[in-house]
Amino acid sequence: MESSLNRRHFIKVLGLGAASLAVPGCTSLSELSAGKSSAKKPNFIIIFCDDLGYGDLSCFGHPTIRTPCVDRMAAEGQRWTNFYVGASVCTPSRAALLTGRLPIRSGMCSDKRRVLFPDSAGGLPESEVTIAEALKTGGYTTACVGKWHLGHLKPYLPTSNGFDSYFGIPYSNDMDRVGGPGRQAFFEPKTEYWNVPLMQNEDITERPADQNTITKRYTEQAVTFISQNKNKPFFLYLAHNLPHVPLFVSKDFRDKSLRGLYGDVVQEIDHGVGRILDTLRREGLAENTFVVFTSDNGPWLTFDQHGGSAGLLREGKGCTFEGGMREPCVMWWPGRIKPGVVNDMGATMDLYTTILTLAGVKVPTDRIVDGLDLSPALFGTGSSPRKTMFYYRGAKLYAARKGPYKAHFFTKPAYGKGQEKRHEPPLLYHLGHDPSEKYDISKDHPEVIQDIHKEVALHLANLIPGQDQLAKRITEK
Ligand code: MG
């Protein structure tokens, strides 16, 4: 009942007629009209890591982590050096990717709780139109494998949000803590310390999930899904739970990386990328499949050697310096996208608009969508349309970028008891000359600050914050 209501809702939202509603055993008008072209519709795969930093791939400069499969993907495709997520922590970042909207609009960010927890009562509002929901209207088969973190109760699960199937841990792998010696548990992790569930669609099938084999099993699910759906257009959202702490790796990858356990984990993910791309090649799907590899937020630096690296970017997960929100990103589509390094700006929200456009599916027009179509930069016909980026912490705008300049109106340490600091004039950095945000040039460029203030005023003028979806707990009535 729930999913049918959902479907009617987004069909209405997308402005599609009743002919789009499939009746079992009948061919709808839209299916008839789409019949010839459906074979040529591109497939889409988003591989989304958890807490992988800007500097954690060898093709992004890491000296001791070896990622030959993602490196090859980058050599055959595009390596984006200015690619952003919609928030510096998991839940709001994932909401931004799947809805194409800044989390402030959907209410999937909060100043009270930064992400969803196992006692959270909320999740992604039904009124949001996910990539998967939109692609369903275009005849796509959809699967979510991995970490969800947009609500673990039934109305919020992937299967209620446009995905035909789900296999994964519904939130972070460090939640449901039940054992282990304090903080040391993270540095000598055992799977039984975290009683996280593994779900198949709406059912828990394993608890605690065996995290040692989780990356391997996600890859296997992905490969099986691709092979089973090779004759129809599909969308696969593969969201790894790792390398978020606690780190786990299967035995074939343990003690293999010069970087230690963190490197082992990243190298297992990389191996999985290789298996997925090999499957696409073997099934003859490579030239018709757009694959994106990126991460949900920067490295969790408070976990020492178990956290990743933002390379030369400042700070990491949890804050609005570049290390928190700029991610390594590789895009791949052999024979279609123009190989090379892209220094233009892009964002996960843009994947929403780009994918829907490439699929011939209408982007919702009854709401503000922040995503932009990256096709010009992808296909080498022009530059990326993204010229600005807004950096929120919870529900508050902390910083804004326009072109190479970034202004910080507020800063606050990522974690701990550090206080929020207001900057007047804002701190100003030139991210081309100074990617590490070391040298404040605000005094030399009042005109740039004024220009950024204008962009911010335009942005805020159209902003209607969504109702906070993260604060409410199951125990509250
Ligand atoms: Mg994360």
Side-chain angles (χ1 to χ4, degrees):
M1 189 66 184
E2 184 67 40
S3 65
S4 114
L5 279 174
N6 273 348
R7 181 137 191 262
R8 282 208 184 85
H9 171 79
F10 67 74
I11 282 166
K12 193 173 107 216
V13 163
L14 293 172
L16 300 174
S20 302
L21 282 167
V23 178
C26 298
T27 306
S28 71
L29 287 177
S30 66
E31 281 168 335
L32 281 174
S33 63
K36 275 187 184 171
S37 60
S38 64
K40 289 180 185 167
K41 283 194 174 193
N43 307 306
F44 303 103
I45 300 177
I46 296 174
I47 304 172
F48 211 46
C49 295
D50 197 358
D51 295 5
L52 182 80
Y54 188 80
D56 283 328
L57 301 171
S58 35
C59 59
F60 275 77
H62 199 285
T64 54
I65 299 176
R66 299 267 70 87
T67 51
C69 301
V70 180
D71 296 354
R72 179 181 170 188
M73 184 182 169
E76 293 174 353
Q78 292 182 340
R79 186 165 62 83
W80 286 63
T81 65
N82 280 273
F83 194 82
Y84 290 94
V85 287
S88 68
V89 289
C90 299
T91 297
S93 171
R94 284 152 205 274
L97 166 70
L98 289 183
T99 65
R101 284 149 54 81
L102 285 166
I104 185 71
R105 301 191 199 279
S106 59
M108 288 300 285
C109 59
S110 171
D111 293 327
K112 297 190 178 100
R113 302 185 101 187
R114 299 187 76 181
V115 297
L116 291 166
F117 290 89
D119 68 346
S120 294
L124 191 66
E126 196 268 346
S127 55
E128 293 297 317
V129 180
T130 68
I131 300 182
E133 284 173 328
L135 289 177
K136 286 305 293 175
T137 69
Y140 276 73
T141 300
T142 56
C144 175
V145 175
K147 175 173 172 174
W148 177 240
H149 217 180
L150 295 173
H152 68 288
L153 302 180
K154 192 167 181 296
Y156 308 113
L157 283 171
T159 46
S160 299
N161 277 291
F163 290 98
D164 297 323
S165 64
Y166 176 54
F167 177 86
I169 297 171
Y171 35 73
S172 295
N173 64 326
D174 66 336
M175 293 180 172
D176 292 323
R177 174 85 183 266
V178 290
R183 183 171 153 87
Q184 193 58 25
F186 285 93
F187 301 119
E188 292 166 17
K190 291 186 176 156
T191 211
E192 60 267 28
Y193 295 165
W194 291 272
N195 193 34
V196 286
L198 180 68
M199 299 188 75
Q200 179 93 51
N201 298 325
E202 297 92 22
D203 301 320
I204 294 173
T205 53
E206 185 178 306
R207 192 166 196 169
D210 179 359
Q211 296 203 46
N212 292 300
T213 57
I214 201 69
T215 297
K216 186 180 180 179
R217 286 189 283 170
Y218 286 169
T219 297
E220 280 163 4
Q221 288 278 330
V223 165
T224 302
F225 172 79
I226 293 166
S227 294
Q228 285 176 345
N229 292 284
K230 61 185 175 186
N231 295 322
K232 47 191 173 183
F234 64 77
F235 168 51
L236 169 63
Y237 172 46
L238 168 57
H240 283 290
N241 273 93
L242 294 161
H244 188 293
V245 294
L247 300 174
F248 290 96
V249 71
S250 64
K251 64 177 187 309
D252 289 349
F253 291 86
R254 182 169 283 281
D255 298 328
K256 293 291 191 297
S257 173
L258 294 172
R259 169 65 173 81
L261 180 56
Y262 185 89
D264 293 341
V265 170
V266 175
Q267 291 181 187
E268 183 165 23
I269 290 172
D270 177 74
H271 178 78
V273 171
R275 283 194 61 200
I276 287 165
L277 300 191
D278 282 347
T279 303
L280 293 172
R281 292 185 189 102
R282 193 177 58 244
E283 300 285 9
L285 299 171
E287 279 74 34
N288 197 38
T289 306
F290 177 41
V291 187
V292 180
F293 178 93
T294 187
S295 176
D296 70 330
N297 52 250
W300 207 350
L301 300 176
T302 51
F303 283 92
D304 305 343
Q305 292 178 56
H306 283 233
S309 165
L312 49 53
L313 302 183
R314 184 167 171 179
E315 290 281 357
K317 172 177 177 171
C319 75
T320 44
F321 284 106
E322 290 294 289
M325 290 178 63
R326 203 199 296 189
E327 300 306 316
C329 179
V330 174
M331 301 194 196
W332 185 85
W333 190 352
R336 286 298 307 276
I337 65 174
K338 190 182 171 195
V341 176
V342 178
N343 297 129
D344 292 351
M345 291 168 69
T348 51
M349 294 171 287
D350 302 333
L351 297 177
Y352 180 92
T353 301
T354 305
I355 287 174
L356 266 52
T357 304
L358 289 169
V361 168
K362 197 174 159 193
V363 176
T365 53
D366 65 337
R367 65 198 64 206
I368 292 177
V369 171
D370 296 288
L372 301 167
D373 182 3
L374 299 178
S375 293
L378 272 182
F379 302 125
T381 59
S383 59
S384 164
R386 177 163 292 284
K387 309 298 178 198
T388 58
M389 184 66 206
F390 299 101
Y391 304 68
Y392 278 82
R393 180 178 176 127
K396 188 167 180 177
L397 184 68
Y398 261 49
R401 175 176 179 177
K402 183 175 183 187
Y405 292 101
K406 178 178 175 186
H408 290 265
F409 311 109
F410 299 92
T411 54
K412 187 178 179 180
Y415 291 95
K417 293 193 173 114
Q419 292 298 303
E420 177 182 277
K421 201 167 168 185
R422 181 164 186 234
H423 302 281
E424 183 55 50
L427 301 173
L428 185 71
Y429 299 108
H430 186 296
L431 295 176
H433 301 169
D434 177 22
S436 302
E437 299 174 279
K438 281 182 181 169
Y439 309 106
D440 175 20
I441 53 171
S442 56
K443 289 193 175 49
D444 303 327
H445 294 285
E447 77 292 350
V448 171
I449 292 174
Q450 201 177 11
D451 189 38
I452 294 179
H453 271 307
K454 269 190 212 161
E455 290 290 343
V456 168
L458 276 173
H459 167 66
L460 294 178
N462 287 325
L463 183 72
I464 302 169
Q467 192 185 353
D468 186 336
Q469 304 293 322
L470 308 192
K472 197 173 170 193
R473 297 174 197 233
I474 291 170
T475 48
E476 292 168 15
K477 295 288 174 204

